[in-house]
């Protein structure tokens, strides 16, 4: 049996052919960086969501959940710093008239330049210098140092004179009322976190929860990404799963380390392989963070950010106090003083986990013919079991339909009778179904069915009355949750 590597192109094509991910608005030629989830994609996505949600809310008694609105008071985005600081900086040049993201140009430059691998301090100093000049808006000085570094033009790999530097806010601005002009500045939220911060007092006042505690939320966010490539990795509309953990300021380091390890363990539990992950301390911090880690994943296009674990200090709550003029504090019984809590944030893109799981579980195998199998963890599999009559015989079909009817309230199943049994198995392998259940003529006598396991190259006969237990044992999400405690 030959095993081959699978390319991004094949991943995108499999996702479309088998109903996982479709380009949005495709019959109108699509729009860049926006995607729809198909019939199997949405099951897989919901399973990832459920696992994250349970791992946060169900097994941690000090974490609760919320669902806050996408549209929020415009002042929130001033207080959070997004209006002024949630920007991408671009460089352009006269030769090609094309613009490139400054941080990516610099990152690539350092990556390709061996000199900086040995001179890490110099690299850090250059980044710090550029950051400082950005903060005080000294763009000419940045252009000067960039031109001195002789950063090549990515398009033609030639030396270029960078001539312009400009900023671009990533938030979508929308008028709220029919005749409002866009300057009324309502925004589609670019992170779910702010809904949690602005409800901090509501949660505190409506529950008995005490610091340290967390609030988790899953929801859609929107960003005007300019460089939108790599399939669902970087999208303009995507879903975040965020947890904000409120702590005493003195415990910042302890909880940052705790959540970094905890989140890595969560990712490892998906069984994609330890070598696929690495943790990287951020050098260029977001405006709200004073220390941050990226959990990176080895996608088909290289190691890229999967999840961020940030210490946001009291940046957000302090600013919401200032802008809302409401006290957002808790009382420290030991020191008899009130204080603004610090926040450790874990923030992951649901679509990025989807891509990590989908891309690394697709395996190409050749036994006579080449085929692609989705070897996904059974708890995440879109369809838990497929019920087949061996052939299109009336008695077998009735028996199989009856089994499907009895079990469908417990699991997401499929029933199929078309094509040969071999073809039906292969179709289920392609969408990751862990178990196929076949009803044959022997079943009519012994009340047993044949279970075929996707990965185990194994078939076994079980009594119909034990089928529910067998499917549950194989596909239960509890198996995953147990790995976390
Ligand atoms: N609240 C903090 C925050 O939003 P971020 O690093 O900007 O931090 C967090 O985003 C996570 O959201 C990232 O680690 C990534 O998984 C996901 N993400 C960010 N931009 C994305 C995009 N354009 N498309 C898909 N996922 C994205």
């Amino acid at each position: 049996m030959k095993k081959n590597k699978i390319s991004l192109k094949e991943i995108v094509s499999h996702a479309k052919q088998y109903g996982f991910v479709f380009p949005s608005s495709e019959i109108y030629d699509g729009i860049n960086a926006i995607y729809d989830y198909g019939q199997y994609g949405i099951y897989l996505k919901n399973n990832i969501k459920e696992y994250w949600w349970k791992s946060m809310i169900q097994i941690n008694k000090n974490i609760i959940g919320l669902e806050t609105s996408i549209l929020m008071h415009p002042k929130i985005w001033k207080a959070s710093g997004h209006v002024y600081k949630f920007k991408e900086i671009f460089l352009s040049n006269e030769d090609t008239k094309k613009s490139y993201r400054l941080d990516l140009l610099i990152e690539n430059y350092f990556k390709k330049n061996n000199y900086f691998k040995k001179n890490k301090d110099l690299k850090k100093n250059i980044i710090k210098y550029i950051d400082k000049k950005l903060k005080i808006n000294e763009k000419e000085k940045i252009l000067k140092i960039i031109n001195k570094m002789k950063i090549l033009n990515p398009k033609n790999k030639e030396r270029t004179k960078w001539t312009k530097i400009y900023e671009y806010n990533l938030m979508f601005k929308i008028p709220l009322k029919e005749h409002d002009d866009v300057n009324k500045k309502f925004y589609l939220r670019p992170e779910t976190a702010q809904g949690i911060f602005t409800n901090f007092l509501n949660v505190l006042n409506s529950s008995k929860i005490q610091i340290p505690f967390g609030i988790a939320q899953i929801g859609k966010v929107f960003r005007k990404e300019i460089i939108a490539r790599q399939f669902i990795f970087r999208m303009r509309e995507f879903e975040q799963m965020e947890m904000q953990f409120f702590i005493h300021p003195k415990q910042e380091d302890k909880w940052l380390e705790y959540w970094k390890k905890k989140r890595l363990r969560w990712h490892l539990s998906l069984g994609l392989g330890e070598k696929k992950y690495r943790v990287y301390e951020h050098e260029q911090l977001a405006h709200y963070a004073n220390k941050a880690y990226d959990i990176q994943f080895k996608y088909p296009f290289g190691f890229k950010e999967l999840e961020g674990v940030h210490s946001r200090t009291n940046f957000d709550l302090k600013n919401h106090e200032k802008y809302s003029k409401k006290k957002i504090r808790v009382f420290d019984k030991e020191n008899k003083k009130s204080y603004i809590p610090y926040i450790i944030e874990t923030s992951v893109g649901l679509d990025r986990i989807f891509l990590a799981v989908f891309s690394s579980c697709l395996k190409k195998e050749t036994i006579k013919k080449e085929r692609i199998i989705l070897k996904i963890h059974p708890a995440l599999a879109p369809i838990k079991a497929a019920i087949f009559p061996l052939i299109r015989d009336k008695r077998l079909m009735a028996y199989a339909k009856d089994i499907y009817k009895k079990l469908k309230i417990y699991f997401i199943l499929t029933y199929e009778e078309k094509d040969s049994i071999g073809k039906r198995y292969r179709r289920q392998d392609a969408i990751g179904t862990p178990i196929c259940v076949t009803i044959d003529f022997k079943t009519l006598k012994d009340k047993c069915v044949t279970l075929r396991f996707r990965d185990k190259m194994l078939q076994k006969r079980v009594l119909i009355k034990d089928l529910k237990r067998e499917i549950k044992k194989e596909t239960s999400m509890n198996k995953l949750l147990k790995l976390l405690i």
Side-chain angles (χ1 to χ4, degrees):
M1 182 170 49
K2 242 171 68 192
K3 285 188 182 175
N4 303 313
K5 248 189 138 186
I6 203 152
S7 68
L8 182 63
K9 204 170 156 205
E10 286 170 309
I11 292 163
V12 176
S13 145
H14 193 89
K16 188 175 167 203
Q17 187 185 349
Y18 286 95
F20 283 86
V21 183
F22 305 130
S24 166
S25 322
E26 201 183 8
I27 58 167
Y28 292 95
D29 298 330
I31 16 175
N32 243 348
I34 305 192
Y35 288 90
D36 297 333
Y37 284 86
Q39 63 275 30
Y40 299 122
I42 189 60
Y43 288 146
L44 168 52
K45 201 175 177 210
N46 283 343
N47 290 338
I48 298 171
K49 249 194 227 187
E50 186 189 338
Y51 178 43
W52 183 89
W53 188 253
K54 285 185 167 170
S55 74
M56 284 292 174
I57 309 288
Q58 192 172 315
I59 65 174
N60 291 297
K61 67 176 184 327
N62 61 345
I63 299 182
I64 54 118
L66 274 192
E67 184 180 284
T68 69
S69 55
I70 288 171
L71 294 176
M72 299 167 83
H73 197 293
K75 261 194 194 169
I76 286 172
W77 304 110
K78 283 191 179 156
S80 71
H82 283 79
V83 169
Y84 311 107
K85 298 198 173 128
F86 194 54
K87 292 170 182 169
E88 296 289 16
I89 317 291
F90 285 85
L91 274 182
S92 65
N93 65 64
E94 273 161 11
D95 308 343
T96 59
K97 307 269 180 291
K98 281 219 167 226
S99 299
Y100 302 94
R101 243 173 74 183
L102 175 66
D103 59 337
L104 294 183
L105 276 181
I106 294 177
E107 199 184 299
N108 278 339
Y109 172 79
F110 285 134
K111 226 187 249 169
K112 288 194 178 136
N113 205 319
N114 273 336
Y115 178 71
F116 287 100
K117 282 187 188 147
K118 289 180 206 131
N119 292 281
K120 285 196 175 140
D121 282 345
L122 181 59
K123 177 181 150 189
K124 261 189 190 162
N125 286 342
I126 294 176
I127 292 174
K128 248 192 207 159
Y129 176 84
I130 293 174
D131 267 357
K132 203 168 128 197
K133 295 296 162 201
L134 275 173
K135 271 184 194 134
I136 51 176
N137 212 14
E138 286 192 353
K139 293 193 178 118
E140 285 308 315
K141 294 233 165 101
I142 299 171
L143 274 181
K144 212 167 157 187
I145 190 163
I146 295 291
N147 282 319
K148 236 181 172 175
M149 285 159 74
K150 300 186 180 123
I151 292 186
L152 301 181
N153 186 332
K155 191 164 164 112
N156 50 20
K157 306 275 182 277
E158 282 172 8
R159 259 202 78 180
T160 191
K161 186 163 164 47
W162 298 99
T163 46
K164 203 174 155 201
I165 181 162
Y166 63 93
E167 305 169 324
Y168 185 96
N169 194 297
L170 293 181
M171 285 194 292
F172 281 97
K173 224 183 270 179
I174 52 156
L176 199 64
K177 294 194 212 116
E178 183 79 4
H179 299 294
D180 275 354
D181 75 62
V182 208
N183 294 325
K184 285 256 164 129
K185 292 191 177 111
F186 262 81
Y187 298 100
L188 295 181
R189 68 178 175 194
E191 61 169 4
T192 64
Q194 296 304 324
I196 294 179
F197 304 146
T198 51
N199 274 293
F200 175 74
L201 288 179
N202 282 335
V203 169
L204 217 55
N205 295 335
S206 60
S207 67
K208 294 244 178 288
I209 209 149
Q210 281 182 347
I211 274 178
F213 75 90
I215 305 180
Q217 163 157 240
I218 301 176
K220 281 267 177 140
V221 299
F222 304 83
R223 295 183 187 179
K224 282 198 280 186
E225 298 286 2
I226 309 239
I227 298 167
R229 271 187 266 118
Q230 295 156 335
F231 194 31
I232 54 172
F233 179 80
R234 193 175 300 285
M235 296 199 282
R236 297 195 167 116
E237 174 183 339
F238 59 99
E239 220 164 338
Q240 278 187 329
M241 306 199 287
E242 297 197 302
M243 194 279 301
Q244 313 296 329
F245 201 71
F246 299 89
I247 54 166
H248 191 284
K250 282 193 180 148
Q251 299 200 315
E252 182 188 15
D253 290 342
K254 171 187 145 183
W255 286 113
L256 183 63
E257 284 307 304
Y258 175 89
W259 281 109
K260 179 184 78 177
K261 285 192 189 133
K262 205 85 175 155
R263 290 305 301 145
L264 183 61
R265 193 165 161 198
W266 186 92
H267 289 290
L268 290 174
S269 73
L270 299 175
L272 308 181
E274 229 170 286
K275 284 193 185 139
K276 292 261 182 180
Y277 298 89
R278 68 181 190 197
V279 180
Y280 160 89
E281 190 175 342
H282 246 294
E283 280 166 6
Q284 279 171 298
L285 292 165
H287 64 271
Y288 47 72
N290 75 345
K291 198 166 180 188
Y293 294 105
D294 269 0
I295 298 176
Q296 299 188 334
F297 186 79
K298 196 173 181 197
Y299 288 100
F301 36 83
F303 272 103
K304 296 272 173 213
E305 177 182 343
L306 170 64
E307 169 152 6
V309 182
H310 312 127
S311 173
R312 296 184 74 128
T313 69
N314 60 6
F315 176 89
D316 300 272
L317 294 187
K318 197 172 69 193
N319 283 336
H320 286 307
E321 251 203 20
K322 189 171 138 201
Y323 278 77
S324 70
K325 301 192 175 57
K326 309 264 181 343
K327 283 254 172 285
I328 309 181
R329 295 179 181 231
V330 290
F331 190 68
D332 182 350
K333 284 180 197 151
E334 238 175 66
N335 295 319
K336 312 253 177 304
K337 261 197 216 154
S338 64
Y339 67 95
I340 304 176
Y342 267 37
I343 290 158
I344 304 297
E345 167 185 72
T346 72
S347 176
V348 64
L350 174 54
D351 313 86
R352 287 200 187 173
I353 303 178
F354 185 107
L355 184 59
V357 170
F358 191 72
S359 62
S360 52
C361 291
L362 277 185
K363 308 283 179 201
K364 206 189 271 180
E365 285 189 3
T366 314
I367 315 176
K368 289 185 199 155
K369 249 177 140 187
E370 189 176 274
R371 67 191 188 118
I372 292 177
I373 304 176
L374 183 63
K375 292 200 169 182
I376 195 172
H377 193 292
L380 300 182
I383 303 286
K384 300 303 179 203
I387 315 287
F388 300 152
L390 181 66
I391 53 167
R392 296 188 71 180
D393 172 90
K394 265 190 189 161
R395 282 171 307 162
L396 298 189
M397 278 155 49
Y399 223 100
K401 280 180 187 164
D402 190 52
I403 291 176
Y404 172 81
K405 202 169 140 196
K406 284 191 180 122
L407 291 182
K408 71 179 180 187
I409 55 168
Y410 305 106
F411 311 102
I412 294 186
L413 304 173
T414 185
Y415 167 85
E416 280 186 18
E417 58 188 35
K418 267 198 209 133
D419 296 327
S420 73
I421 192 84
K423 261 194 184 165
R424 281 181 268 161
Y425 282 158
R426 282 195 290 282
R427 204 161 42 232
Q428 293 306 316
D429 286 347
I431 62 165
T433 307
I435 303 173
C436 291
V437 180
T438 306
I439 289 85
D440 55 23
F441 290 104
K442 247 175 107 190
T443 309
L444 305 178
K445 289 184 204 140
D446 67 3
K447 306 260 185 299
C448 284
V449 290
T450 304
L451 298 195
R452 177 221 184 232
F453 295 89
R454 185 195 64 207
D455 303 334
K456 294 182 192 160
M457 295 287 198
L458 177 108
Q459 299 205 354
K460 74 171 184 184
R461 298 255 327 153
V462 298
L463 280 165
I464 292 169
K465 71 174 178 52
D466 295 333
L467 200 49
K468 181 180 151 202
R469 199 184 59 210
E470 286 283 341
I471 300 175
K472 192 170 168 204
K473 193 172 87 190
E474 184 72 11
T475 63
S476 164
M477 196 158 279
N478 296 349
K479 257 189 178 173
L480 280 178
L481 287 168
K482 275 186 191 154
L483 298 173
L484 304 178
I485 44 180

